Amino acid sequence: MPNEKELIFSVQGLRKWFPIQKGMFKRTVGHVKAVDDVSLNVYKGETLGIVGESGCGKSTLGKTMMMLQRPTGGAVLYNYGDGNFKDITKFNGKEMHDFRKQVQMVFQDPYSALNPLKKIYTSFEEPLKIHGINAKAEREKMMDAVLKMVNIQPDYLLRYPHEFSGGQRQRLCIARALEIKPRVLICDEPVSALDVSIQAQVLNLMKEIQKELNLTYLFIAHDLSVVQYMSDRIVVMYLGKIVEIAGKRSLYNNPAHPYTQALLSAIPVPVIRREKKRQVLRGEVPSPINKPSGCAFHTRCPHRTEICEREEPRLIPDQTDPEHLCACHLYNKTAA
Amino acid sequence: MELNKSHASNMFQKNVRKFLRNKLAMIGMVVMLIILLMCVFAPVFTSYRADQPDFSARTQPPNLPHILGTDKLGRDVFSRILYGGRYSILIGVTGAFFGSLIGVILGAIAGYFGKLIDSAIVRLSEIFQTVPNMILILILGAVFGRSIGNLLFIFAITGWMTTFRIVRNEFIALKGETYVQVCEAFGMSKIDIMFKQILPNVMSPVIVATTVNVAHFILSEAGLSFIGVGVPSATPTWGNILNAAKSLDVISNYWWLWVVPGVVITVFVLAVNFFGDGLRDVLDPKQQ
């Protein structure tokens, strides 16, 4: 991370609610609050990890941040350089088209991310054509460059997706996302569909590419060790809300939020006969449709107090470490 | 960038090999092609014109100059079947093609955009489905008159619902695929995503449905012409040839006037159906 941190993404109060419709006239009877009032900053050149269990809204956050899904509310400011911030939620078609060159995404499932009927060459050619690179020679030069980065022979471009393994496909997907030279790469669980042995290979590759191209990553995952390996800062989400943001060291050494503590204690330790004291959470994740009042975590929290049921905690910086933010009444009180 | 072609793989060659191994489909294709070519090159196979009466040779059973006999006006049945096949096959193929075209376009729009547009188009297709086809054809036939063009128009607007349903369902399933989202993330236009990315993955059931429709429309034409509301009777089509068999006199005394066109229609329709089935086996991506 550079010393002088330059903001590249500033998400402010982002909400994505999916309406639940019932009956003949499609009455809206409620909302699934997948992303509920999320604010965060992404700095240039860093890797921001986003963790949380399934259904906590981390993928939706990623997709909403690049307008693959329209947010219900809030703003996403993107820095076009030198503090020239623009709210991408208000973009029209032309501005959106240009924005697509800035931010790209790598998806979770490499098996369906390539059109099965098209040769890899076609799948690689299309994005370049969309963004106005009309000369065939120039396109092939760019394709060749990204393929070198992911160590795949250019000859393989003439094959079909079903002829590749999962790891190769994910590398192809990364290469394709990099083709149009984006500044930010949103990675939506890029390795969770892969074998553990291949995971390491792909992760190392992604780290190398980041260094080479000075990319900013938004790394979404549910695997804590993967996030720890990749990220500089980590965001922990629970039921559509951010419960903790901290630098990697700070988060893994002193997790503040009880949910983070429980998550970290669930990481298996690869040492025989050393039982770690586990902090097991009771109960199920509440439904995101009828979220618990106050702190969404209070139904499962071991340190629950009476205020947790009434009032929603805000993200408050830690007293000693202002980079470490946590949304929990336990700390709020000590600050007050 | 030089690409070494030896690494290339060819899906087309693989599919052709797979089709060649399917015996029923091959028989279907060969029979279909033989009948089709004989119809197209009819003057090579027969020296008689289809509408040339010869009153000295009326209702002759199959014999040497008239290999399939002659009808009540002394016209050669064999040449009538060949020339009639031109119209029947043309009606079947173009009707099915335009029906599928409408079905594909509406299905893609309904499936991809969803919501209100989808409901509106689905209701429209349900209206077309609830009105019995035959009655719709009769009404339109009565309004627009009898001609091949009108019949084609009627077939196209009554025959798109099957394809529509197939395409719409596939689009709903496929628009959630990751590669569609990838294209959206690259900023590809909606039209390109619909017709260049998703549609090729939907084409195999559409092709199969179209071949089945070809057979269906040939039968419809024959049925409509038989009851006298299809193609004008002066034009020889397979249906119009069968039309002659309406009287009991013909059925009991002149078997070749109805057995021959009946068999030709049956054989051709069967061949088309076998061919369509074979295509489905080859093109179904789930079996690759």
Side-chain angles (χ1 to χ4, degrees):
Chain A
M1 236 195 307
N3 271 347
E4 190 97 347
K5 289 197 296 184
E6 192 191 342
L7 207 58
I8 195 158
F9 253 123
S10 174
V11 178
Q12 294 169 355
L14 193 69
R15 285 196 307 276
K16 177 67 193 174
W17 294 1
F18 296 100
I20 307 159
Q21 293 173 330
K22 255 193 189 154
M24 209 164 99
F25 299 104
K26 302 274 166 71
R27 229 161 12 98
T28 303
V29 292
H31 287 96
V32 176
K33 296 177 180 174
V35 175
D36 195 11
D37 203 8
V38 164
S39 302
L40 56 88
N41 291 329
V42 185
Y43 297 98
K44 195 164 188 291
E46 74 169 347
T47 300
L48 181 68
I50 299 178
V51 279
E53 54 201 293
S54 328
C56 73
K58 44 191 198 305
S59 290
T60 311
L61 175 65
K63 282 176 190 163
T64 321
M65 274 175 73
M66 65 175 302
M67 288 296 113
L68 282 180
Q69 284 171 343
R70 232 158 229 301
T72 318
V76 179
L77 301 179
Y78 177 76
N79 184 359
Y80 272 89
D82 302 326
N84 177 18
F85 282 98
K86 283 186 183 159
D87 185 357
I88 65 167
T89 59
K90 296 191 175 63
F91 273 1
N92 61 25
K94 173 80 183 65
E95 290 169 309
M96 203 64 229
H97 192 80
D98 289 338
F99 174 71
R100 295 290 181 217
K101 262 192 284 197
Q102 303 278 328
V103 181
Q104 267 306 314
M105 190 155 185
V106 174
F107 290 86
Q108 176 172 10
D109 183 6
Y111 293 91
S112 75
L114 297 156
N115 194 332
L117 288 184
K118 295 196 186 280
K119 285 184 178 164
I120 306 292
Y121 186 91
T122 322
S123 291
F124 267 63
E125 201 180 25
E126 280 159 351
L128 294 174
K129 277 187 180 164
I130 294 170
H131 290 285
I133 292 134
N134 294 318
K136 192 171 183 222
E138 196 184 344
R139 280 202 302 265
E140 293 196 338
K141 217 176 90 194
M142 294 170 92
M143 281 151 72
D144 199 33
V146 286
L147 283 173
K148 277 218 179 74
M149 261 181 240
V150 298
N151 309 323
I152 285 180
Q153 259 181 280
D155 293 340
Y156 285 179
L157 281 178
L158 296 176
R159 293 194 174 176
Y160 285 94
H162 67 89
E163 293 168 279
F164 291 95
S165 71
Q168 281 174 320
R169 284 190 222 197
Q170 195 59 293
R171 281 187 290 162
L172 284 169
C173 290
I174 293 169
R176 182 172 54 171
L178 294 173
E179 252 182 353
I180 51 174
K181 306 199 168 77
R183 293 165 70 209
V184 182
L185 201 60
I186 296 178
C187 313
D188 185 4
E189 308 210 17
V191 295
S192 49
L194 306 176
D195 272 359
V196 180
S197 56
I198 308 293
Q199 280 189 4
Q201 182 197 351
V202 172
L203 290 176
N204 285 330
L205 185 77
M206 289 180 71
K207 273 200 151 179
E208 276 169 38
I209 291 171
Q210 181 178 31
K211 232 184 260 164
E212 205 176 312
L213 301 176
N214 193 20
L215 279 172
T216 307
Y217 280 162
L218 200 74
F219 196 89
I220 300 164
H222 58 240
D223 187 329
L224 286 160
S225 43
V226 167
V227 170
Q228 185 182 20
Y229 181 70
M230 290 298 290
S231 318
D232 302 310
R233 289 193 310 138
I234 293 171
V235 170
V236 183
M237 282 183 75
Y238 183 76
L239 276 179
K241 289 199 177 280
I242 294 180
V243 296
E244 192 164 359
I245 307 180
K248 172 170 74 177
R249 273 266 150 77
S250 174
L251 187 94
Y252 277 85
N253 294 340
N254 329 296
H257 198 279
Y259 178 63
T260 317
Q261 288 166 0
L263 269 188
L264 292 181
S265 80
I267 301 177
V269 186
V271 178
I272 305 170
R273 284 196 218 99
R274 204 184 84 189
E275 278 289 313
K276 204 165 78 166
K277 230 193 179 169
R278 287 246 171 108
Q279 186 186 330
V280 182
L281 287 179
R282 281 174 207 293
E284 290 277 318
V285 190
S287 149
I289 303 166
N290 297 312
K291 273 193 214 174
S293 59
C295 173
F297 188 58
H298 84 251
T299 50
R300 301 165 78 191
C301 184
H303 309 293
R304 172 180 56 230
T305 55
E306 182 248 347
I307 186 173
C308 301
E309 287 169 39
R310 280 187 290 111
E311 238 174 85
E312 201 176 305
R314 286 180 304 124
L315 268 177
I316 306 264
D318 190 74
Q319 276 163 316
T320 50
D321 181 4
E323 299 273 287
H324 194 142
L325 284 83
C326 174
C328 183
H329 286 300
L330 288 175
Y331 302 92
N332 206 348
K333 246 184 270 167
T334 51
Chain B
M1 182 167 54
E2 277 298 306
L3 297 176
N4 185 352
K5 288 277 187 286
S6 67
H7 286 280
S9 59
N10 198 328
M11 204 104 102
F12 181 72
Q13 268 176 19
K14 212 169 91 186
N15 283 342
V16 168
R17 269 200 301 273
K18 204 164 151 193
F19 188 82
L20 290 178
R21 274 199 300 269
N22 188 337
K23 284 206 188 79
L24 212 55
M26 277 306 289
I27 293 172
M29 192 179 76
V30 168
V31 170
M32 196 178 81
L33 282 180
I34 288 174
I35 296 179
L36 186 70
L37 290 176
M38 281 179 78
C39 291
V40 171
F41 299 105
V44 179
F45 295 97
T46 169
S47 51
Y48 297 98
R49 293 212 335 261
D51 50 357
Q52 180 186 37
D54 176 4
F55 295 107
S56 62
R58 288 164 55 192
T59 57
Q60 286 184 358
N63 57 37
L64 206 75
H66 303 287
I67 51 170
L68 291 175
T70 58
D71 67 2
K72 281 180 155 175
L73 297 174
R75 294 175 296 193
D76 182 54
V77 172
F78 180 61
S79 59
R80 274 178 76 72
I81 284 186
L82 291 192
Y83 285 102
R86 287 178 170 186
Y87 292 105
S88 288
I89 296 171
L90 183 80
I91 290 169
V93 170
T94 23
F97 175 78
F98 284 109
S100 293
L101 194 69
I102 298 174
V104 163
I105 292 172
L106 290 182
I109 292 170
Y112 187 72
F113 290 105
K115 295 187 184 156
L116 255 170
I117 300 173
D118 181 40
S119 322
I121 302 178
V122 168
R123 292 295 161 271
L124 184 75
S125 83
E126 278 167 2
I127 289 170
F128 272 94
Q129 260 163 355
T130 36
V131 178
N133 248 353
M134 197 53 110
I135 293 182
L136 200 61
I137 290 169
L138 283 176
I139 294 170
L140 290 171
V143 173
F144 295 114
R146 292 170 61 184
S147 79
I148 291 184
N150 287 345
L151 200 66
L152 277 180
F153 173 72
I154 292 164
F155 281 162
I157 65 161
T158 56
W160 55 271
M161 284 82 79
T162 330
T163 328
F164 165 76
R165 255 180 293 127
I166 295 172
V167 172
R168 174 180 169 267
N169 292 347
E170 291 283 320
F171 260 72
I172 288 173
L174 290 179
K175 76 175 173 187
E177 289 280 304
T178 310
Y179 62 81
V180 175
Q181 289 181 26
V182 170
C183 293
E184 281 168 3
F186 276 120
M188 192 182 277
S189 71
K190 286 196 165 70
I191 302 261
D192 278 358
I193 292 179
M194 276 160 65
F195 294 109
K196 286 190 183 161
Q197 298 292 326
I198 306 181
L199 191 61
N201 288 291
V202 182
M203 273 328 276
S204 52
V206 170
I207 290 171
V208 174
T210 308
T211 55
V212 173
N213 265 350
V214 169
H216 173 75
F217 285 148
I218 288 174
L219 285 179
S220 292
E221 184 276 324
L224 287 172
S225 298
F226 180 78
I227 59 171
V229 294
V231 180
S233 47
T235 316
T237 66
W238 287 345
N240 273 340
I241 299 168
L242 260 185
N243 192 353
K246 263 196 292 196
S247 69
L248 206 62
D249 170 45
V250 171
I251 294 177
S252 43
N253 295 327
Y254 313 119
W255 59 266
W256 60 93
L257 288 187
W258 56 273
V259 168
V260 173
V263 166
V264 170
I265 293 173
T266 312
V267 167
F268 189 76
V269 166
L270 263 182
V272 171
N273 276 333
F274 284 153
F275 176 70
D277 265 356
L279 271 188
R280 166 173 30 225
D281 293 345
V282 170
L283 292 175
D284 189 359
K286 279 152 210 137
Q287 289 182 8
Q288 295 275 332

